């Protein structure tokens, strides 16, 4: 028998998939509000927007400064190198090609099954760390139709992981049914204007990895699909 993971004292620990983007930063605040111990995980797979990974430390310290309770709950940060992903992808994230929408209506930034790989590694780490909840920013509502972001994919994976590791993980996706305007609103509800400002200033979503000029909604090229979506959501949020 493999040793079972040590549950933390409240059995309530969480591991947040934390890329340094708007969505995962909102998920981190969401988890800090709910769980007694929260650790973060980033993946380095040769993506062009490595700048996202560089934003992570700033966001972690910024979010800790917003609430004493969040600072007390925020635990270790982990980074896993998954270079093999870039070997099986042929996309704008990992090669210097234009972002375009291909057949099936998916942008060529799509790395097939990426979130399945991420969540599986996250579960292995969570097992070792004794964390029961795994939190990710997958969203079915907005954008792209990535099939590995679908609620059914996540639920099926939760079953597979729990069978395969003989444990009881709960995969939590707080953004699943809200759009980008809703994600900004969630940040406001969780951490007030200070959290919204932190996300605007220090999170990174742009596919081109450009920090670029500072727009109302944050830094980025302003023209790629990720920037457009983030900008549209922000303006719907402040007008709403
Ligand atoms: Zn952009």
């Amino acid at each position: 028998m493999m040793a079972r993971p040590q549950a933390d004292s409240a059995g309530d620990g969480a591991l947040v998939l934390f890329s340094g983007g708007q969505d995962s930063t909102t998920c981190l605040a969401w988890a800090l509000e709910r769980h007694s111990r929260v650790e973060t995980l980033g993946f380095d797979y040769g993506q062009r927007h490595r700048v996202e990974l560089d934003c992570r430390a700033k966001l972690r310290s910024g979010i800790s400064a917003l609430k004493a309770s969040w600072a007390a709950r925020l635990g270790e940060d982990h980074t896993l190198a998954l270079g093999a992903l870039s070997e099986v992808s042929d996309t704008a994230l990992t090669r210097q090609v234009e972002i375009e929408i291909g057949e099936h209506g998916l942008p060529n930034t799509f790395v097939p099954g990426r979130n399945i790989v991420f969540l599986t590694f996250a579960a292995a780490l969570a097992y070792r760390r004794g964390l029961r909840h795994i939190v990710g920013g997958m969203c079915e509502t907005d954008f792209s139709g990535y099939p590995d972001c679908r609620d059914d994919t996540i639920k099926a994976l939760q079953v597979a992981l729990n069978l395969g590791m003989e444990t009881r993980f709960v995969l939590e996706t707080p953004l699943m049914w809200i759009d980008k305007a809703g994600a900004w609103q969630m940040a406001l509800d969780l951490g007030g204007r200070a959290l919204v400002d932190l996300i605007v200033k220090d999170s990174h979503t742009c596919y081109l990895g450009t920090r670029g000029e500072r727009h109302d909604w944050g830094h980025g090229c302003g023209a790629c699909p990720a920037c457009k979506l983030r900008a549209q959501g922000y303006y719907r949020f402040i007008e709403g």
Side-chain angles (χ1 to χ4, degrees):
M1 271 299 272
M2 258 174 98
R4 300 302 300 267
Q6 294 272 309
D8 67 303
S9 54
D12 185 37
L15 180 65
V16 178
L17 273 65
F18 182 55
S19 67
Q22 175 190 349
D23 291 344
S24 69
T25 307
T26 306
C27 286
L28 177 56
W30 184 90
L32 287 167
E33 195 65 27
R34 271 162 192 76
H35 297 299
S36 56
R37 178 163 65 103
V38 177
E39 301 186 8
T40 50
L41 170 62
F43 295 102
D44 185 350
Y45 56 103
Q47 62 268 53
R48 267 165 62 172
H49 50 293
R50 279 194 62 92
V51 61
E52 251 196 15
L53 292 175
D54 298 336
C55 291
R56 298 170 74 257
K58 268 190 195 169
L59 287 162
R60 278 176 45 95
S61 60
I63 216 162
S64 288
L66 294 181
K67 289 191 190 183
S69 59
W70 290 1
R73 291 171 168 190
L74 184 59
E76 275 186 53
D77 183 38
H78 311 269
T79 308
L80 290 176
L82 292 182
L85 264 187
S86 65
E87 294 175 32
V88 295
S89 67
D90 184 20
T91 73
L93 284 179
T94 49
R95 305 233 181 127
Q96 297 294 322
V97 297
E98 288 295 306
I99 291 169
E100 52 189 38
I101 304 299
E103 52 181 330
H104 313 305
L106 291 170
N108 63 350
T109 50
F110 178 60
V111 177
R114 186 179 62 175
N115 285 305
I116 296 172
V117 176
F118 287 171
L119 284 165
T120 303
F121 272 92
L125 178 65
Y127 187 103
R128 291 292 182 211
R129 302 292 302 162
L131 301 167
R132 182 161 184 251
H133 299 83
I134 298 169
V135 184
M138 298 81 187
C139 171
E140 205 175 285
T141 309
D142 237 347
F143 195 45
S144 69
Y146 291 125
D148 60 339
C149 288
R150 285 188 295 216
D151 195 47
D152 283 354
T153 305
I154 306 300
K155 286 190 162 62
L157 188 59
Q158 175 174 297
V159 173
L161 291 169
N162 282 327
L163 284 171
M165 299 189 194
E166 203 180 7
T167 185
R168 291 299 297 167
F169 290 126
V170 181
L171 270 49
E172 297 179 322
T173 53
L175 306 181
M176 183 59 74
W177 305 113
I178 63 177
D179 63 11
K180 285 284 182 203
W184 285 110
Q185 183 63 47
M186 181 182 285
L188 183 69
D189 295 343
L190 287 164
R193 189 68 217 183
L195 178 58
V196 172
D197 289 344
L198 177 72
I199 292 171
V200 166
K201 185 163 64 76
D202 288 329
S203 77
H204 186 88
T205 309
C206 177
Y207 279 153
L208 302 183
T210 314
R211 288 301 281 160
E213 72 176 280
R214 161 76 184 269
H215 311 269
D216 294 340
W217 44 269
H219 292 275
C221 75
C224 76
C227 279
K228 283 184 181 162
L229 191 72
R230 175 165 163 153
Q232 287 163 7
Y234 186 80
Y235 291 121
R236 279 205 314 279
F237 159 62
I238 55 171
E239 286 157 14

